């Protein structure tokens, strides 16, 4: 080959590489434009909705209970946001790496802190942005002034950064102080709801102007938001592979579950991750034989995880807080929704025998009988929760106490039916006819899995919402029992 031909070949390769780079840059710019345009469009729509709802609340929220609930909304929302930030941080690490990085780079003789530092900074930035946006929305709904909304959003965002930094600083320790802080924040939120339910919540003045206390709180939050991340960054070098790898192993499972829009599978992944990191449990011997053995295992599970019962007891406060806020008939829907979420952790045995048919066939009982036995303990607790919500329904529906207690039983059955529907949902079936979409062929039952459980919740509470009488409660209970019979008896 002549030198001139070799030079032409090199020139062609340079032009080809430059064209590929320009094409990739064009694709990146196009994707960034689409993402920015979608964010601005949907963000403006959301801001418009929040602002309009806040203005409407100024005119319609005149009852004392409504004004108390509205004044507490930003603070309860901030507490829940900090709880969510801590829960996600403890779930993933908060510092985590992918399985490839955990198996190849972490054992290598490299600076571990330099490898983990960008990940922690990204999580801190996400906490700041997410906390500020959610806090701004709750402050607008509460009627805060424009300057106060900005300061409150910055305050909550800085506190979110502080709690994530605290979780990162305590990551890998044998004792988990972040767990204690999470329960402390949950207790504070629960006490706020309990004070609202008892009609003893303080009516906080809506701040339109910034006082000295706001600047002091903002200064304290800024100090914590700087101190905690600095301590976490200084301690990154001590993290070991077993401290940062579990969170990276969890991410692929969550992405796969979200790709199929199967929320029940997402819960399975989270549950497996939790018990994988848990220490060995002590086996319990004895108990009844036959189907009673399945009921006995649920009781043993309650003893091992008492936090599920604590969650169930704490959920009683929410319907009373909704009733005190003037929710009216919506209290029925609130009670059923909260009970539905609280009953889900109790249906682990039903989820197990539903998703593993081989295990169900190994038991010397019909499949329907096995499922019935796994629903006994959760069903009893759901009915007790519904009965505990009876007095709240008494005041919101303006019924006699006996009728309200029967409505509570109907609400408890609705909780159970909705939870069973969510737990026994079947995964997407690609053997069925597929629907053509821009993303490819999609099973017909894929998108329906998102609303699974909530559809039964609306169906079984509709009679009580439309006709809050004994007849409506009877129809609601009949629909719930029919749904339960079908879901536990189908093959």
């Amino acid at each position: 080959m002549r030198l001139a031909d070799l030079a032409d070949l090199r020139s062609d390769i340079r032009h080809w590489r430059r064209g590929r780079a320009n094409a990739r840059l064009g694709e990146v710019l196009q994707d960034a434009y689409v993402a920015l345009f979608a964010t601005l469009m949907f963000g403006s729509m959301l801001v418009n909705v929040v602002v309009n709802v806040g203005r409407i609340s100024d005119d319609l929220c005149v009852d004392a209970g409504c004004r108390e609930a509205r004044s507490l909304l930003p603070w309860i929302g901030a507490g829940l946001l900090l709880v969510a930030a801590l829960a996600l941080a403890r779930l993933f690490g908060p510092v985590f790496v992918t399985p490839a990085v955990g198996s190849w780079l972490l054992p290598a003789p490299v600076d571990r802190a330099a490898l983990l530092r960008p990940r922690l900074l990204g999580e801190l930035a996400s906490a700041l942005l997410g906390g500020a946006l959610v806090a701004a929305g709750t402050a607008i709904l509460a009627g805060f002034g424009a300057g106060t909304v900005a300061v409150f959003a910055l305050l909550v965002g800085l506190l979110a950064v502080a709690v994530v930094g605290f979780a990162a600083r305590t990551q890998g320790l044998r004792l988990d102080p972040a767990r204690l802080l999470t329960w402390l924040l949950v207790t504070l939120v629960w006490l706020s709801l309990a004070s609202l339910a008892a009609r003893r919540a303080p009516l906080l003045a809506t701040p339109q102007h910034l006082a000295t206390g706001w600047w002091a709180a903002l200064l304290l939050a800024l100090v914590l938001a700087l101190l905690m991340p600095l301590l976490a960054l200084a301690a990154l070098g001590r993290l070991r592979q077993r401290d940062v790898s579990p969170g990276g192993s969890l991410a692929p499972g969550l992405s796969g579950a979200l790709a199929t829009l199967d929320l029940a599978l997402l819960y399975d992944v989270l549950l497996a991750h939790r018990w994988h990191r848990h220490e060995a449990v002590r086996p319990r011997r004895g108990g009844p034989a036959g189907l009673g053995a399945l009921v006995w295992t649920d009781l043993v599970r309650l003893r091992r995880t008492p936090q599920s019962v604590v969650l169930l007891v704490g959920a009683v406060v929410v319907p009373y807080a909704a009733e005190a806020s003037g929710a009216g008939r919506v209290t029925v829907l609130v009670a059923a929704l909260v009970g539905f979420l609280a009953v889900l952790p109790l249906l682990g045995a039903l989820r197990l025998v539903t998703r593993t048919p081989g295990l169900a066939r190994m038991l010397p009982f019909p499949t329907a009988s096995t499922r019935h036995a796994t629903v006994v303990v959760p069903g009893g607790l759901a009915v007790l929760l519904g009965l505990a919500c009876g007095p709240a329904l008494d005041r919101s529906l303006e019924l006699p106490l006996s009728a309200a207690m029967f409505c509570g039983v109907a609400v408890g059955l609705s909780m159970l039916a909705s939870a069973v529907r969510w737990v026994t949902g079947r995964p997407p079936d690609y053997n069925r006819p597929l629907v053509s979409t821009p993303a490819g062929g999609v099973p017909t039952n894929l998108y329906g899995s998102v609303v699974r459980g909530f559809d039964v919740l609306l169906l079984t509470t509709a009679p009580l919402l439309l006709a809050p009488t004994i007849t409506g409660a009877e129809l609601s209970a009949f629909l719930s029992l029919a749904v339960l019979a079908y879901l536990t008896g189908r093959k």
Side-chain angles (χ1 to χ4, degrees):
M1 179 180 293
R2 295 179 301 176
L3 294 178
D5 295 337
L6 183 60
D8 292 339
L9 179 61
R10 290 178 177 176
S11 178
D12 293 340
I13 292 175
R14 284 197 298 268
H15 285 298
W16 177 78
R17 288 179 176 176
R18 190 176 303 153
R20 287 291 302 274
N22 292 334
R24 291 178 180 176
L25 180 60
E27 293 177 358
V28 171
L29 292 177
Q30 182 179 2
D31 294 341
Y33 171 76
V34 172
L36 180 62
F37 179 77
T39 302
L40 291 177
M41 183 179 66
F42 290 107
S44 61
M45 293 171 59
L46 182 60
V47 169
N48 188 29
V49 170
V50 171
V51 171
N52 288 332
V53 171
R55 291 175 180 174
I56 294 174
S57 300
D58 292 337
D59 301 329
L60 299 181
C61 189
V62 295
D63 184 68
C66 181
R67 288 188 287 113
E68 291 175 359
R70 193 184 181 198
S71 66
L72 286 177
L73 175 63
W75 312 105
I76 294 177
L80 291 176
L81 176 67
L82 296 179
V83 169
L86 266 176
L88 290 176
R90 293 181 59 246
L91 179 65
F92 287 99
V95 183
F96 66 95
V97 296
T98 61
V101 174
S103 59
W104 287 94
L105 292 181
L106 282 184
V110 296
D111 186 7
R112 189 173 302 171
L115 183 65
L116 301 177
R117 190 176 298 114
R119 291 168 169 80
L120 177 58
L121 293 178
E123 293 168 8
L124 294 174
S126 300
L128 176 62
L129 181 60
L133 291 177
V134 175
T138 56
I140 292 173
L141 291 177
F144 283 16
T148 313
V149 168
V151 173
F152 182 74
L154 182 59
L155 174 65
V156 177
L158 292 175
L159 288 178
V161 172
V163 296
V164 173
F166 177 75
R169 177 61 183 85
T170 58
Q171 183 177 353
L173 299 180
R174 184 174 182 84
L175 297 177
D176 190 4
R179 183 178 182 180
L180 179 61
L181 180 59
T182 304
W183 280 105
L184 177 61
L185 291 174
V186 170
T187 304
L188 292 177
V189 172
W190 186 86
L191 289 176
S192 301
L193 292 174
S195 65
L196 181 60
R199 303 179 187 272
R200 297 182 180 273
L203 183 59
L204 304 177
T206 302
Q208 300 295 337
H209 305 285
L210 296 176
T212 307
W214 284 92
W215 297 112
L218 185 61
L219 180 61
L220 178 60
L222 180 61
V223 172
L224 292 176
L226 291 176
L227 179 61
M228 290 301 172
L230 288 178
L231 293 177
L233 290 173
L236 285 179
R238 66 169 178 79
L239 294 179
R240 294 162 292 183
Q241 181 180 359
R242 67 180 185 182
D243 299 327
V244 297
S245 294
S249 303
L250 176 64
L254 294 181
S255 62
L258 291 175
T260 59
L261 300 179
D262 193 349
L263 299 181
L265 180 60
L266 181 70
Y267 176 72
D268 291 343
V269 174
L270 295 176
L271 196 63
H273 175 74
R274 181 204 170 204
W275 285 107
H276 179 73
R277 302 178 64 178
H278 199 276
E279 298 179 356
V281 297
R282 179 181 301 177
R284 300 290 178 182
R285 299 182 180 274
L291 289 173
L294 298 177
V295 180
W296 176 256
T297 56
D298 277 337
L299 296 176
V300 172
R301 192 176 293 108
L302 286 179
R303 183 176 179 180
R304 289 174 178 168
T305 56
Q307 58 267 25
S308 58
V309 182
V310 174
L311 176 64
L312 201 68
V313 174
V316 179
V317 176
V318 180
Y320 287 90
E323 184 275 329
S325 304
R329 295 186 183 183
V330 183
T331 306
V332 175
L333 191 60
V334 172
L337 178 60
V338 172
F340 161 56
L341 298 177
V343 171
L344 283 178
L346 306 176
L347 293 171
L350 179 62
R351 180 67 175 169
L352 182 62
V353 299
T354 302
R355 292 303 294 263
T356 53
L359 177 63
R361 287 194 293 266
M362 291 174 59
L363 298 176
F365 318 111
T367 304
S369 300
T370 302
R371 293 176 179 171
H372 293 159
T374 57
V375 176
V376 171
V377 174
L381 294 176
V383 172
L384 290 178
L385 177 58
L387 287 173
C389 298
L393 301 178
D394 175 24
R395 293 192 292 264
S396 60
L397 301 180
E398 298 180 356
L399 294 174
L401 183 58
S402 58
M405 299 303 289
F406 187 77
C407 291
V409 173
V411 170
L413 292 176
S414 175
M415 303 172 190
L416 181 63
S418 306
V420 170
R421 162 68 173 153
W422 194 83
V423 167
T424 59
R426 295 174 177 175
D429 188 3
Y430 287 88
N431 293 324
R432 295 182 178 181
L434 303 180
V435 179
S436 178
T437 66
V442 175
T444 54
N445 64 336
L446 178 63
Y447 296 117
S449 61
V450 179
V451 297
R452 182 185 299 141
F454 302 99
D455 51 357
V456 173
L457 181 70
L458 293 176
L459 173 66
T460 53
T461 55
L464 273 176
L465 293 174
L466 297 176
T469 59
I470 289 290
T471 304
E474 291 175 350
L475 182 57
S476 176
F478 173 77
L479 289 175
S480 300
L481 291 175
V483 170
L484 285 172
Y486 171 75
L487 293 176
T488 55
R490 65 176 179 176
K491 296 182 180 180

